[in-house]
């Protein structure tokens, strides 16, 4: 049984504060909140189980607002649950407020930043998956809008949820017909959504989203779901519901009411008691998310005269470290035999998440895992991480603690051709503030840097190589975020070549070839691409005759290692010459493609000769 | 009626050359070709209508290989259609061959580069849409694998195709059960795919993909489709079909046969006549794709004392230019009232394509449009273009002629918060070789640069601003790709501030404030971000006292305008100081957020003061 009058009042109070807060802010999406007010009211009043004083209690239910622009709804719900006084909602969208235009981590009740549409179902699926795997009796609720159902990621997540039998996942679809610039693809044809979610393996109930009885029945059924399927409650609603001049009207998306319109709306709502609250059900137990700090290193040894693929070493190291740190989860997009996360799967199937070829969902599921204290490793081809660029961006805004591993970087992959080459991945990750980027060239550095990835709290991206490479380092060598290693040096070095990954070997070959001609160059392995080892770069440049740094990398010209280095030494009167992949590559052998790009030993030597000759000519000119 | 024996022989010939070519290459995906050999044989033998001497005849059918790793199949099919001798397939995957590991534009029969999965249906939808809109009696066929059906983009495209009633689109699904690292999500449960495509509005036929009668009936039905729906032929197949030791066997993905295995396989196939050919049906008419070159400019005038949003000016200019150039199409992701492409919709509904909130499909549909000679403009929030980073990457590899417009760039959007801010878009587009990046600061430059976008053949990205800005330029001012404009200069400038977009106004304010203190700085509007105006930057730096360039931009620190500028002046002994957005932003007013990021006038002045004082201190130190 539901208390109809009380629910009506509470949903009116939700409406009131969604309207007041957006009018105060002079922007926002009040009508997008109003359509979901009734269903949210029932959820929070009767079903949502949550300790408001402990958002990270693992026995809490979860509530993800996928339609992030309805943020005032989220803020009002938690306010009515006692998290803060509703009056504080008047700071909505103002500088310094925890109530931002779209939810961000500063609002501690948000499980992820939302606002780029179509990502919430994946977050909730990640939350539900952890609960399933670790036997928490909790539900993951997610409120989606209808406009965002056009995003493919929603269907990736839907497949994922039904495949993994996430019957603790409850998706509530707010089908309010109107999107930003007009009607959605299907308007109020609710059956279109029913057909789709049924086909994707959900237990589906279609309801009138403004009928409290129907809402209650659907939620009751959902929390007692024994179908083995995730649940979709598809609610036909009206945008702007409850206010006559807004309800189901075009042209009101993303518009706050003017003061006088607000007064009219509040008059329509009538007197409402601001003291009305949701007394959330308390979770049965308390167990907080805790961060496991292991500081372990993988115990791997490599033979000096053998070659190893860093991607394979990564897989082995991760598996070893997974024994020591049970927070480590691994997510795969059907390339586990290429990234070598299959090693981890064999030992820890319970912490391995097969996401199939759906990178967007994979990344956002990882965001959900991170929220519950896991340390998710997302590994696929570097090229295919670009498929999830927006999800990576949003996970970064969410402050998720995700480790990304991109294999098959650069033209060195050879015959498969440009579609498979990761050549813009450093630019993508590098743009995101505070993202660590690592690229080990050999087995020793690869193994050691995996533990650094785990220990660092925040985004880390590691590039791994397809080809096998020689062992460069002794087992005792240390590798740290921000570090680098000198591989060739002499007292008479004329300049420094700063390389990373596969180009380290080309730089070494160039150094050896030049030495035969009596020219010494220094070679620096910049295994830490960001932060790059600024002091060492400056030291190397200053110690060499020409004070020149040549950067060489298997990445496109813009946004890669070279730009990090130029930036790091800017203003130090050091000349930097960038060598990188100048154009779309093609199929061929590794050697042919490195050569075509000008990033092999021959390319490095040519660049050095050109620099020397140019300087000679300049000197000659000056002498004239 | 079908000629069974002949089809059997032709499909054997396909198999033979898929096996030979991959063995010669020592890599590739032969088993992924074999599962689709039978269905492709019937398609090419009886239905596919195409002038092999004129791939860009608009009356040709289209064939998109979405599962790009089955490239040898594509190459064999067109070889058997007479495009080249099959013997040439022995160059597969070799440096210089047109037969790359995955299809690229050098293979002139490919309508798009494929190899990043789940994109082909969108390409085909773009091709089918043009045929529909312009009344070509052609079909767009697309062959998809089952693994790639997990990609959300497939479902974006499916919605798009049924919504736009593309009954000339025929999707063939090769359900061969096995993906790269194991079984697909649904294995051989063909009904899972049937349910999904039916729900998404397709006319669906499920067949045995190795039964020629069933294949023929399904294709016959498809080409005569009057359902108003796109067609999906869901074929249950076996990976490696036709060779006993490959067929339906695990562990054979992406593996070429060794020489002795090849011999065994060819012995199984038996003697086949290499002269067997597909005599493709000729199209009813010939009309070639032609490029319309207009060199027109929009005739817009702006009042000097008014303010305009560049996004709005873009919409107006595009609409004007659309009158003059009928190749211009516009694609929207439900933000047409924010990007102002709604202006174009009002005048040219036939060349406006509503894609709803599904950016991945939007970009790849544009790639299809470009293939047929259209000049597609893809416009959405800059932040949401990152949703399609992989599609943009693949469209670039496809050499598509797409114009991207990202609105709401930077922290200057204000209250909506970080999820809506485009702050990594320059890094993304900048990494792709040959991509032009423009950012007009005012109405005059915005209007003029839209025509430059149209006239340039290839990728162009324009950033537009949410806030209105003052008019900076006279109507007679010229703007070119690679250009810049000096907005403040004097004989006593101490340094140059290079700005773009919203920061131009901050730089001007800084200049005006500093002038009051007797300090003159030069201000350069770098409306062309890539290529940046190298010679002008060097000139400005050299003409100013301190030979310093300060770059200031509303973009994250890495990969933006600053990096283009540092790179451009590298080695010229010019100090460059980069000011950009250092961290994730938040909600607030435009002014507050520009200030928080340190990219407002105050931030510029602080940076200048710091530089002057540092230099003063250095001079003082040297004097000691």
């Amino acid at each position: 049984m539901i208390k109809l009058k009380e629910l009506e009042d509470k949903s009116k109070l939700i409406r009131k504060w969604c309207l007041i807060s957006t009018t105060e802010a002079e922007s926002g999406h009040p009508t997008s909140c109003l359509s979901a007010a009734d269903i949210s009211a029932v959820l929070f009043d009767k079903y949502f189980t949550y300790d408001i004083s402990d958002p990270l209690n693992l026995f809490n239910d979860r509530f993800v607002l996928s339609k992030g622009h309805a943020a005032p709804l989220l803020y009002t719900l938690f306010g009515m649950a006692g998290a803060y006084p509703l009056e504080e909602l008047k700071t909505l969208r103002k500088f310094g407020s925890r109530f931002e235009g779209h939810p961000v981590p500063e609002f501690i009740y948000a499980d992820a930043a939302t606002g780029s549409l179509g990502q919430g179902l994946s977050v909730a699926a990640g939350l539900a998956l952890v609960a399933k795997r670790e036997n928490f009796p909790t539900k993951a609720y997610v409120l989606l809008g209808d406009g965002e159902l056009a995003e493919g990621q929603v269907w990736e997540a839907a497949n994922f949820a039904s495949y993994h039998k996430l019957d603790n996942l409850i998706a509530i679809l707010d089908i309010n017909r109107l999107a930003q610039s007009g009607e959605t693809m299907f308007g109020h044809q609710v059956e279109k959504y029913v057909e789709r979610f049924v086909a994707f393996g959900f237990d589906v109930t279609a309801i009138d989203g403004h009928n409290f009885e129907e809402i209650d029945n659907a939620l009751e059924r959902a929390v007692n779901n024994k179908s083995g399927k995730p649940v979709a409650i598809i609610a036909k609603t009206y945008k702007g519901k409850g206010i006559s001049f807004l309800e189901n009207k075009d042209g009101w998306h993303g518009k706050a009411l003017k003061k006088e319109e607000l007064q009219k709306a509040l008059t329509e709502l009538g007197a409402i008691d601001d003291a009305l609250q949701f007394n959330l059900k308390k979770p049965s137990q308390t167990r907080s998310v805790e961060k496991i700090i292991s500081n372990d290193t993988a115990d791997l040894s490599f033979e000096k005269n053998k070659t190893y693929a860093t991607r394979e070493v990564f897989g082995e190291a991760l598996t070893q470290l997974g024994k020591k740190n049970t927070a480590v989860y691994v997510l795969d997009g059907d390339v586990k035999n290429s990234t070598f996360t299959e090693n981890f799967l064999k030992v820890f199937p319970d912490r391995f998440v097969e996401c199939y070829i759906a990178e967007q969902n994979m990344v956002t599921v990882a965001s959900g895992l991170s929220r519950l204290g896991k340390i998710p490793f997302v590994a696929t081809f570097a090229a295919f991480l670009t498929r999830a660029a927006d999800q990576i961006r949003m996970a970064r805004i969410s402050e998720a603690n995700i480790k990304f591993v991109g294999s098959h970087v650069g033209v060195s992959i050879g015959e498969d051709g440009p579609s498979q080459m990761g050549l813009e991945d450093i630019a993508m990750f590098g743009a995101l503030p505070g993202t660590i980027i690592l690229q080990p060239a050999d087995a020793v550095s690869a193994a050691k840097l995996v533990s650094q990835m785990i220990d660092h709290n925040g985004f880390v991206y590691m590039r791994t190589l397809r080809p096998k490479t020689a062992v460069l380092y002794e087992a005792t060598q240390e590798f740290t975020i921000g570090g680098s290693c000198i591989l060739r040096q002499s007292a008479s070095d004329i300049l420094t070549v700063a390389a990373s990954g596969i180009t380290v070997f080309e730089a070494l070959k160039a150094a050896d070839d030049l030495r035969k001609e009596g020219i010494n160059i220094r070679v620096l392995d910049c295994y830490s691409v960001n932060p790059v080892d600024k002091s060492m770069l400056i030291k190397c440049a200053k110690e060499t005759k020409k004070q020149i740094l040549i950067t060489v990398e298997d990445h496109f010209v813009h946004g890669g290692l070279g730009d990090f280095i130029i930036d790091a030494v800017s203003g130090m009167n050091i000349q930097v010459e960038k060598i990188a992949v100048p154009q779309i590559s093609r199929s061929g052998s590794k050697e042919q493609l490195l050569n075509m790009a000008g990033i092999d030993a021959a390319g490095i030597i040519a660049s050095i000769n050109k620099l020397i000759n140019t300087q000679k000519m300049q000197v000659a000119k000056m002498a004239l």
Side-chain angles (χ1 to χ4, degrees), chain A:
Chain A
M1 278 301 298
I2 50 165
K3 297 168 194 159
L4 198 61
K5 177 70 176 70
E6 203 179 309
L7 281 171
E8 277 175 4
D9 285 348
K10 286 181 181 175
S11 62
K12 277 187 186 174
L13 187 58
I14 294 172
R15 291 189 163 93
K16 174 179 168 179
W17 280 96
C18 291
L19 292 167
I20 290 175
S21 59
T22 46
T23 295
E24 283 287 332
E26 296 177 21
S27 65
H29 303 76
T31 58
S32 302
C33 301
L34 267 50
S35 59
D38 296 328
I39 200 158
S40 313
V42 180
L43 174 63
F44 270 63
D45 202 54
K46 197 169 160 191
Y47 297 99
F48 191 56
T49 303
Y50 196 93
D51 181 352
I52 201 80
S53 70
D54 185 10
L56 288 179
N57 181 2
L58 292 167
F59 284 79
N60 283 346
D61 285 344
R62 296 280 142 202
F63 179 71
V64 178
L65 183 73
S66 187
K67 48 180 287 186
H69 54 288
L73 171 67
L74 182 71
Y75 304 148
T76 307
L77 290 170
F78 278 91
M80 287 174 64
Y84 35 77
L86 291 175
E87 197 64 28
E88 193 188 323
L89 294 183
K90 289 184 176 171
T91 65
L92 178 74
R93 293 174 157 250
K94 294 197 166 68
F95 192 74
S97 172
R98 59 174 140 179
F99 306 125
E100 295 206 28
H102 297 75
V104 293
E106 201 177 335
F107 183 73
I108 59 173
Y109 310 96
D111 287 322
T114 51
S116 182
L117 291 170
Q119 303 196 12
L121 188 58
S122 299
V123 175
L127 298 166
L129 185 95
V130 171
K132 274 298 224 193
R133 296 256 174 124
E134 309 203 352
N135 291 312
F136 304 128
T138 57
K139 304 287 178 190
Y141 298 94
V142 51
L143 179 65
L144 295 98
D146 46 358
E148 66 177 320
L149 299 178
E151 289 284 11
Q153 185 180 358
V154 172
W155 305 102
E156 294 182 3
N159 264 338
F160 179 88
S162 58
Y163 177 81
H164 287 286
K165 300 190 171 41
L166 303 179
D167 56 6
N168 55 342
L169 174 68
I170 299 168
I172 300 167
L173 278 59
D174 178 16
I175 310 295
N176 69 20
R177 188 178 75 81
L178 291 166
Q180 175 177 320
S181 71
E183 199 173 63
T184 61
M185 194 177 260
F186 301 121
H188 260 154
Q189 300 172 71
V190 171
E191 70 280 7
K192 298 280 189 187
Y193 302 110
V194 172
E195 288 160 9
R196 282 160 171 76
F197 275 91
V198 167
F200 273 70
F202 275 58
D203 183 80
V204 178
T205 312
I207 61 166
D208 171 352
H210 302 303
N211 179 315
F212 290 110
E213 289 277 1
E214 289 192 29
I215 296 167
D216 185 56
N217 289 339
L219 283 170
E220 176 85 36
R221 191 162 168 266
V223 295
N224 294 305
N225 173 32
K226 300 270 183 286
S227 68
K229 299 176 177 181
V231 174
I233 298 172
I234 304 186
K236 181 178 172 182
T237 61
Y238 293 97
K239 200 157 176 170
K241 172 73 183 180
I243 307 298
S244 61
F245 58 95
L246 302 176
E247 189 170 317
N248 205 22
K249 295 278 195 295
D250 283 345
W252 273 104
H253 180 93
K255 284 188 188 155
L257 273 59
K258 298 195 187 83
K259 294 268 179 195
E260 56 277 17
E261 291 166 335
L262 175 66
Q263 276 318 314
K264 203 175 141 193
L266 295 181
T267 305
E268 275 196 30
L269 285 175
I272 315 156
D273 181 3
D274 272 340
L276 280 172
Q277 285 219 328
F278 295 120
N279 296 306
L280 299 185
K281 288 164 74 172
K282 275 278 170 101
S284 56
Q285 293 179 51
T286 296
R287 193 194 309 170
S288 282
V289 170
E290 52 178 333
K291 188 149 168 53
I292 300 174
I293 295 170
S294 53
N295 288 317
D296 284 312
T297 50
D299 184 22
L300 294 169
S301 62
F302 306 100
E303 293 177 43
K304 265 277 186 185
N305 55 350
K306 279 198 177 172
T307 58
Y308 301 85
T310 55
R311 59 188 171 121
E312 195 160 359
V313 174
F314 152 72
E316 288 173 27
L318 185 63
T319 307
Q320 277 212 6
L321 293 165
K323 280 180 200 140
K324 297 170 180 173
N325 193 323
T326 55
V328 172
Y329 266 64
V330 173
L331 295 90
D332 172 50
D334 186 33
V335 289
K336 54 186 174 287
N337 54 343
S338 286
T339 58
F340 287 94
T341 55
E342 64 180 6
N343 300 359
F344 190 94
L345 167 63
K346 283 172 196 155
V347 186
F348 307 109
D350 291 349
R351 289 190 271 131
F352 185 90
V353 186
E354 182 54 67
C355 299
Y356 296 95
I357 309 173
E359 296 81 5
Q360 301 184 98
N361 178 65
M362 174 164 61
V363 168
T364 312
V365 163
S367 188
L369 265 53
S370 166
R371 171 69 172 171
L372 297 181
K374 305 305 170 194
I375 304 174
F377 273 75
V378 169
T380 183
F381 284 29
F384 304 142
L385 282 171
T386 63
R387 190 66 159 250
D390 187 36
Q391 288 75 16
I392 292 169
R393 182 180 75 89
M394 289 303 295
R396 177 62 192 82
I397 296 175
S398 298
E399 294 172 10
N401 182 29
I402 305 177
K403 316 304 166 184
F404 298 92
V405 178
S407 70
H408 294 69
V409 296
V411 304
S412 74
I413 68 160
E415 291 75 7
D416 272 329
S419 64
Q420 317 294 302
M421 296 170 176
L423 284 164
E424 52 288 289
D425 50 330
I426 297 179
M428 176 176 73
F429 281 105
L432 299 174
T435 300
I436 306 299
I437 302 176
L438 305 171
Q439 180 170 228
D442 85 331
V444 177
S445 52
K448 295 216 175 182
L449 287 169
V450 178
S451 58
Q452 297 271 323
M453 294 180 82
I454 295 175
D455 294 343
H456 177 86
N457 184 33
F459 261 33
V460 187
Y461 171 55
M462 179 186 273
R463 294 186 115 199
T464 65
L465 305 170
R466 194 193 71 81
K468 292 184 178 191
T469 54
V471 175
L472 292 171
Y473 297 106
E474 299 298 330
T476 52
Q477 179 78 41
E478 291 299 317
F479 297 88
T480 54
I481 289 170
S484 65
C485 289
I486 295 177
L487 285 166
R488 289 283 186 284
Q489 67 177 327
S490 76
S492 59
D493 294 335
I494 57 161
L495 52 71
T496 301
V497 176
S500 186
I502 199 77
T503 59
V504 168
F505 301 91
E506 301 301 322
L508 291 173
K509 190 164 179 300
D512 296 342
D513 289 354
L514 288 169
R515 181 165 295 174
K516 290 171 198 158
E517 297 173 33
I519 299 170
N520 287 324
I521 62 168
R522 190 164 297 187
V523 176
L524 188 69
D525 174 7
C526 294
Y527 62 80
S528 182
V529 174
N530 186 36
V532 76
D533 194 349
K534 178 173 176 165
S535 59
M536 178 60 83
L537 285 159
I538 293 170
K539 184 172 180 290
C540 285
K542 296 293 178 192
E543 287 177 1
T544 55
K545 273 191 210 161
K546 299 194 178 294
Q547 309 221 346
I548 292 176
L549 293 174
I550 295 182
T551 71
V552 54
E553 62 186 313
D554 198 358
H555 183 278
F556 283 136
V557 175
H558 184 73
L561 171 70
D563 282 345
F564 277 115
I565 289 177
I566 294 184
D567 199 29
V569 305
S570 168
M572 306 299 297
N573 206 14
I574 295 169
Q575 184 179 346
V576 183
E577 286 293 317
K578 222 164 72 171
I579 318 181
V581 180
Q583 65 207 41
I584 304 291
S585 189
R586 52 176 305 124
S587 287
S589 70
K590 176 188 116 183
E591 291 72 23
Q592 287 166 328
L593 301 184
L594 289 171
N595 182 261
M596 178 191 170
I599 58 171
D600 64 348
I604 295 167
I605 291 171
S607 177
I608 292 171
N609 284 332
K610 201 177 139 201
L611 282 169
I612 294 172
N613 292 332
T614 308
Q615 289 201 335
K616 274 186 191 153
M617 282 193 295
Q618 282 171 343
V619 172
K621 262 190 201 165
M622 289 198 302
L624 283 176

